[in-house]
């Protein structure tokens, strides 16, 4: 089993990456499509801004609200990862490491992109 501090860091990065994957990434748009409408608008500065609106009512709207809220989805993905880790640690550890490494790489890319702009 992984050490406590190391495990905390792994969970932080894995949760960050899984949450962004579900809420923002184009590859998971098909998962969000039944629950939210995504509208892309060209801003005055030439960038594309994406706006979301939950679809339907009841459970469909609730899931749409969840998927359009980074903080909300983050709580549920972290809870899911933690539950999986405690129930099936040997199966979950590789997934956590993959997500954590991808999360670290994403943060490095964000920092490098901002740094290169200046």
């Amino acid at each position: 089993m992984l050490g406590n501090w190391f495990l905390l860091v792994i969970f932080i990065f894995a949760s960050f990456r899984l949450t962004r994957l579900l809420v923002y990434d184009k590859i998971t748009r098909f998962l969000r499509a039944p629950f939210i409408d995504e509208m892309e608008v060209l801003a005055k500065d030439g960038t594309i801004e994406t706006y979301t609106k939950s679809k339907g009512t009841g459970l469909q709207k609730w899931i749409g609200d969840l998927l359009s809220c980074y903080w909300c989805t983050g709580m549920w993905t972290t809870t899911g990862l933690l539950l999986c880790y405690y129930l099936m640690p040997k199966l979950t550890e590789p997934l956590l490491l993959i997500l954590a490494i991808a999360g670290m790489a994403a943060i490095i890319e964000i920092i490098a992109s901002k740094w290169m702009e200046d």
Side-chain angles (χ1 to χ4, degrees):
M1 191 172 291
L2 302 170
N4 288 341
W5 284 104
F6 183 66
L7 184 59
L8 176 63
V9 170
I10 294 297
F11 264 97
I12 290 168
F13 285 111
S15 296
F16 165 76
R17 185 62 198 109
L18 182 57
T19 301
R20 287 195 64 85
L21 180 68
L22 292 173
V23 175
Y24 296 118
D25 287 3
K26 288 181 182 179
I27 196 169
T28 55
R29 187 175 283 164
F30 75 96
L31 293 174
R32 295 186 302 271
F35 307 103
I36 60 175
D37 284 321
E38 295 182 4
M39 296 154 281
E40 292 184 344
V41 176
L42 184 62
K44 291 179 182 178
D45 65 358
T47 60
I48 296 176
E49 296 179 2
T50 303
Y51 295 95
T52 60
K53 183 177 184 322
S54 298
K55 292 180 179 177
T57 60
L59 183 60
Q60 182 185 25
K61 183 173 179 0
W62 183 81
I63 293 172
D65 289 345
L66 176 72
L67 289 173
S68 62
C69 172
Y70 183 82
W71 304 109
C72 304
T73 303
M75 289 294 295
W76 288 103
T77 57
T78 303
T79 301
L81 287 173
L82 190 59
L83 185 61
C84 287
Y85 180 75
Y86 280 113
L87 294 176
M88 308 171 289
K90 291 297 178 196
L91 292 174
T92 307
E93 281 181 6
L95 174 64
L96 284 171
L97 289 174
I98 290 167
L99 289 169
I101 292 167
M104 290 178 208
I107 290 171
I108 290 169
E109 179 59 33
I110 290 167
I111 292 168
S113 295
K114 295 291 182 189
W115 194 12
M116 299 293 273
E117 287 177 4
D118 295 338

